[in-house]
Every structure is written in C-alpha cells, then in structure tokens.
Amino acid sequence: QVHLVESGGGLVQPGGSRRLPCAASGLPFSFSNLALGWYRQAPGKERELVAIISQSGSSTNYADSVKGRFTISRDNARNTAYLQMNSLKPEDTAVYYCWYDKYWGQGTQVTVSS
C-alpha cells in the first residue's frame, strides 16, 4: 500500500522559512519513475498547484505566487521530496499536500502569522 507522509508544518512568522519533507513508501515501482507535485489548500479556497518536479529532478515548475521563494527538490535514493519555503507570507497559510501518481498525502498545516 502506497503512503505519502508530509511533515514539517507549523506556525512560522512572516519572512520566515520552513522545509516540508514528503516521504513515500510502499511503492510498487521506483520512486524516480514519476513526477511529483506539492499542492496547497487555504480555507475556503480550492486546492492549487504550488510546484512540480520531474522524475530526475532536473526540471521544475512553480506557481507565480511562490516563484523565487519556494524550491522543490527530491532525493530519489531516499524516496523523499522536499518543499523549501522562504520569505513566507500570511497568504501562504494553507494545508500543504504532496501528490505522486494518483496518491495524496494527508497534508501538513503551515500557518504564517506574527
């Protein structure tokens, strides 16, 4: 059974940083086979794509709202992806989800507030 587990969420002050890992387990194939994405959903809003990374990690794409502040990466040897979030703003407050193939993690809450 495939599991995606996000962690690293919490309360952070505006301008601060946070790193979210997403660990995959139970995969019936190599973690490096597929692209992976990070999404987020703020209260009362639809889930939106934040960033996506290719199988090898050589190609990435970001939502305009996070470009230059967030970095997506992956360690295929560890079956883990990361979302490094810098210069956080209150509008980044949301539940952050990892997506891989047809699977979703349970999400991790990030709250940006002073």
Side-chain angles (χ1 to χ4, degrees):
Q1 191 172 2
V2 176
H3 288 285
L4 298 175
V5 179
E6 306 97 333
S7 60
L11 177 64
V12 59
Q13 292 191 341
S17 297
R18 207 77 176 185
R19 188 193 196 207
L20 307 182
C22 169
S25 62
L27 296 175
F29 44 78
S30 173
F31 183 67
S32 62
N33 276 18
L34 297 174
L36 181 144
W38 280 96
Y39 286 72
R40 68 185 181 186
Q41 188 165 19
K45 294 189 176 181
E46 293 187 355
R47 193 171 295 190
E48 62 174 354
L49 178 64
V50 174
I52 192 164
I53 188 167
S54 64
Q55 293 93 314
S56 67
S58 61
S59 178
T60 57
N61 209 352
Y62 298 90
D64 287 343
S65 58
V66 306
K67 274 181 186 176
R69 300 188 298 121
F70 289 14
T71 302
I72 188 171
S73 61
R74 66 192 296 165
D75 183 342
N76 287 337
R78 296 178 184 270
N79 287 6
T80 303
Y82 304 93
L83 185 67
Q84 176 67 44
M85 306 185 295
N86 298 329
S87 302
L88 282 162
K89 305 175 181 179
E91 51 263 44
D92 294 318
T93 295
V95 178
Y96 284 74
Y97 297 91
C98 178
W99 165 83
Y100 180 83
D101 191 19
K102 56 187 175 186
Y103 305 102
W104 293 89
Q106 83 289 347
T108 185
Q109 174 72 48
V110 175
T111 302
V112 184
S113 175
S114 54

